[in-house]
Amino acid sequence: MEQVGTLRSQFIKLDLPVDLLPESVHAVPVYFNGRLSRAFGRYCERSLAGFRVVAKVDLQPCLVKKPELYRLVVAHEAAHAVTGIAEGHGFRWKAWCLKLGGDGKARLEWEQVADIAKPRPAGKVVASCQRCQHELVKSRALRSDRIYTHRGCGGVFLPWR
Protein backbone atom coordinates (compact mmCIF):
# COMPACT_ATOMS: atom_id res chain seq x y z
CA MET A 1 0.00 0.00 0.00
CA GLU A 2 1.26 3.42 -0.92
CA GLN A 3 0.46 6.29 1.45
CA VAL A 4 -0.98 9.24 -0.46
CA GLY A 5 -1.19 11.67 2.45
CA THR A 6 -3.68 12.54 5.17
CA LEU A 7 -7.34 13.46 5.00
CA ARG A 8 -6.42 17.11 5.47
CA SER A 9 -3.89 17.05 2.62
CA GLN A 10 -6.39 15.28 0.35
CA PHE A 11 -9.08 17.88 1.11
CA ILE A 12 -6.64 20.70 0.29
CA LYS A 13 -5.50 18.93 -2.91
CA LEU A 14 -9.10 18.34 -4.09
CA ASP A 15 -10.30 21.84 -3.07
CA LEU A 16 -12.83 20.38 -0.62
CA PRO A 17 -13.97 22.40 2.45
CA VAL A 18 -11.08 21.47 4.77
CA ASP A 19 -12.22 23.97 7.42
CA LEU A 20 -15.31 21.80 8.08
CA LEU A 21 -13.20 18.76 9.03
CA PRO A 22 -12.83 18.34 12.81
CA GLU A 23 -9.20 18.46 13.89
CA SER A 24 -9.47 14.94 15.30
CA VAL A 25 -9.53 13.50 11.75
CA HIS A 26 -6.98 15.79 10.06
CA ALA A 27 -4.13 13.31 10.49
CA VAL A 28 -5.99 10.16 9.36
CA PRO A 29 -3.67 8.57 6.76
CA VAL A 30 -4.93 7.90 3.22
CA TYR A 31 -3.54 4.93 1.24
CA PHE A 32 -3.96 3.52 -2.24
CA ASN A 33 -4.87 -0.13 -1.75
CA GLY A 34 -5.02 -2.30 -4.85
CA ARG A 35 -6.47 -5.16 -2.82
CA LEU A 36 -9.90 -3.49 -2.49
CA SER A 37 -12.12 -5.66 -4.65
CA ARG A 38 -15.68 -4.55 -3.91
CA ALA A 39 -15.54 -0.83 -3.15
CA PHE A 40 -13.86 2.38 -4.26
CA GLY A 41 -12.87 3.25 -0.70
CA ARG A 42 -12.88 1.99 2.86
CA TYR A 43 -12.57 3.67 6.25
CA CYS A 44 -11.10 1.47 9.00
CA GLU A 45 -10.73 2.22 12.66
CA ARG A 46 -9.70 0.16 15.64
CA SER A 47 -10.66 1.17 19.12
CA LEU A 48 -9.54 0.20 22.57
CA ALA A 49 -11.80 0.84 25.57
CA GLY A 50 -13.98 3.19 23.50
CA PHE A 51 -11.11 5.39 22.26
CA ARG A 52 -10.13 5.46 18.60
CA VAL A 53 -6.58 4.10 18.45
CA VAL A 54 -5.84 3.61 14.75
CA ALA A 55 -7.79 4.92 11.79
CA LYS A 56 -7.05 4.92 8.06
CA VAL A 57 -8.69 5.41 4.68
CA ASP A 58 -7.99 3.02 1.78
CA LEU A 59 -8.77 4.07 -1.80
CA GLN A 60 -8.77 2.22 -5.12
CA PRO A 61 -5.74 3.18 -7.26
CA CYS A 62 -8.03 3.43 -10.32
CA LEU A 63 -9.56 6.61 -8.81
CA VAL A 64 -6.56 8.60 -10.06
CA LYS A 65 -8.08 8.44 -13.56
CA LYS A 66 -11.40 10.00 -12.42
CA PRO A 67 -10.92 13.18 -10.32
CA GLU A 68 -14.67 13.81 -9.84
CA LEU A 69 -15.15 10.28 -8.53
CA TYR A 70 -12.03 10.65 -6.36
CA ARG A 71 -13.61 13.73 -4.72
CA LEU A 72 -16.85 11.86 -3.98
CA VAL A 73 -15.07 8.86 -2.46
CA VAL A 74 -12.77 11.00 -0.28
CA ALA A 75 -15.77 13.00 1.01
CA HIS A 76 -17.67 9.73 1.62
CA GLU A 77 -14.83 8.21 3.64
CA ALA A 78 -14.16 11.49 5.51
CA ALA A 79 -17.80 11.46 6.63
CA HIS A 80 -17.19 7.97 8.04
CA ALA A 81 -14.09 9.28 9.83
CA VAL A 82 -16.11 12.11 11.41
CA THR A 83 -19.16 10.07 12.45
CA GLY A 84 -17.44 6.77 13.23
CA ILE A 85 -18.05 3.24 12.05
CA ALA A 86 -21.12 2.65 14.23
CA GLU A 87 -23.12 5.34 12.40
CA GLY A 88 -22.97 3.44 9.11
CA HIS A 89 -24.77 5.31 6.31
CA GLY A 90 -27.38 6.84 8.59
CA PHE A 91 -28.83 10.32 8.81
CA ARG A 92 -25.82 11.85 10.61
CA TRP A 93 -23.38 10.33 8.12
CA LYS A 94 -25.41 11.60 5.16
CA ALA A 95 -25.50 15.14 6.59
CA TRP A 96 -21.71 15.14 7.03
CA CYS A 97 -21.15 13.64 3.59
CA LEU A 98 -23.18 16.40 1.94
CA LYS A 99 -21.47 19.05 4.06
CA LEU A 100 -18.02 17.78 3.07
CA GLY A 101 -18.78 17.83 -0.67
CA GLY A 102 -20.05 14.29 -1.28
CA ASP A 103 -23.32 13.21 -2.84
CA GLY A 104 -24.74 11.50 0.26
CA LYS A 105 -25.18 8.13 -1.45
CA ALA A 106 -24.23 5.00 0.44
CA ARG A 107 -22.49 3.40 -2.53
CA LEU A 108 -21.31 4.14 -6.03
CA GLU A 109 -22.01 1.51 -8.65
CA TRP A 110 -19.27 0.27 -10.96
CA GLU A 111 -21.67 0.68 -13.86
CA GLN A 112 -21.58 4.48 -13.30
CA VAL A 113 -17.91 4.40 -14.22
CA ALA A 114 -17.83 2.64 -17.57
CA ASP A 115 -14.18 3.32 -18.43
CA ILE A 116 -12.71 1.92 -15.19
CA ALA A 117 -12.39 -1.85 -15.17
CA LYS A 118 -14.07 -3.47 -12.19
CA PRO A 119 -11.57 -5.43 -10.12
CA ARG A 120 -12.26 -9.09 -10.05
CA PRO A 121 -13.32 -10.23 -6.57
CA ALA A 122 -11.05 -12.72 -4.89
CA GLY A 123 -12.83 -15.97 -4.20
CA LYS A 124 -14.97 -18.64 -5.77
CA VAL A 125 -18.65 -19.26 -6.43
CA VAL A 126 -20.09 -20.62 -3.18
CA ALA A 127 -23.85 -20.43 -3.85
CA SER A 128 -26.45 -19.57 -6.47
CA CYS A 129 -29.89 -18.01 -6.11
CA GLN A 130 -32.70 -20.51 -6.58
CA ARG A 131 -34.90 -17.87 -8.24
CA CYS A 132 -32.63 -15.95 -10.64
CA GLN A 133 -29.47 -18.15 -10.68
CA HIS A 134 -27.24 -15.23 -9.57
CA GLU A 135 -23.89 -16.61 -8.43
CA LEU A 136 -22.46 -15.54 -5.06
CA VAL A 137 -18.66 -15.16 -5.00
CA LYS A 138 -16.96 -15.36 -1.60
CA SER A 139 -13.59 -16.40 -0.25
CA ARG A 140 -15.18 -18.87 2.18
CA ALA A 141 -18.13 -21.22 2.09
CA LEU A 142 -21.44 -20.04 3.57
CA ARG A 143 -22.43 -21.12 7.06
CA SER A 144 -24.73 -24.10 6.92
CA ASP A 145 -26.88 -23.00 9.89
CA ARG A 146 -28.12 -19.81 8.18
CA ILE A 147 -30.44 -18.92 5.34
CA TYR A 148 -29.08 -16.32 2.90
CA THR A 149 -31.52 -14.19 0.90
CA HIS A 150 -30.68 -12.54 -2.43
CA ARG A 151 -31.35 -8.78 -2.11
CA GLY A 152 -31.94 -8.42 -5.83
CA CYS A 153 -34.86 -10.80 -6.25
CA GLY A 154 -35.73 -12.14 -2.79
CA GLY A 155 -34.76 -15.73 -3.63
CA VAL A 156 -32.75 -17.97 -1.34
CA PHE A 157 -29.09 -18.79 -2.01
CA LEU A 158 -28.46 -22.51 -2.27
CA PRO A 159 -24.88 -23.44 -1.29
CA TRP A 160 -22.77 -25.43 -3.72
CA ARG A 161 -21.60 -28.73 -2.37
Side-chain angles (χ1 to χ4, degrees):
M1 288 189 301
E2 172 192 350
Q3 185 167 355
V4 182
T6 62
L7 264 182
R8 179 178 169 78
S9 67
Q10 293 303 301
F11 265 57
I12 292 170
K13 175 181 154 187
L14 297 171
D15 197 29
L16 289 168
V18 71
D19 55 327
L20 296 177
L21 269 182
E23 286 192 33
S24 61
V25 298
H26 279 201
V28 171
V30 177
Y31 296 93
F32 278 139
N33 185 353
R35 294 178 59 199
L36 288 179
S37 63
R38 300 190 186 272
F40 287 111
R42 174 179 64 187
Y43 171 72
C44 304
E45 72 180 29
R46 299 197 183 183
S47 58
L48 181 65
F51 296 102
R52 184 170 31 194
V53 177
V54 178
K56 71 174 183 167
V57 172
D58 290 332
L59 301 173
Q60 274 279 355
C62 66
L63 291 174
V64 174
K65 301 174 190 172
K66 296 288 254 181
E68 66 280 352
L69 187 61
Y70 189 80
R71 290 171 53 90
L72 289 177
V73 173
V74 168
H76 177 113
E77 302 308 331
H80 280 301
V82 172
T83 61
I85 293 288
E87 179 66 28
H89 294 113
F91 178 78
R92 217 171 126 238
W93 172 85
K94 185 174 183 175
W96 269 102
C97 187
L98 293 170
K99 190 187 297 187
L100 294 173
D103 60 358
K105 293 183 181 173
R107 70 176 54 207
L108 297 167
E109 299 299 329
W110 286 97
E111 290 74 29
Q112 294 173 331
V113 191
D115 57 338
I116 293 180
K118 180 178 181 180
R120 197 162 172 216
K124 58 186 176 187
V125 177
V126 295
S128 62
C129 178
Q130 71 177 19
R131 188 178 290 172
C132 70
Q133 279 66 47
H134 174 78
E135 293 181 336
L136 184 64
V137 177
K138 295 279 186 186
S139 57
R140 294 185 191 167
L142 298 179
R143 289 181 52 165
S144 61
D145 61 339
R146 291 191 179 169
I147 297 174
Y148 296 89
T149 306
H150 184 206
R151 290 182 182 176
C153 73
V156 175
F157 280 110
L158 299 174
W160 286 28
R161 304 250 179 236

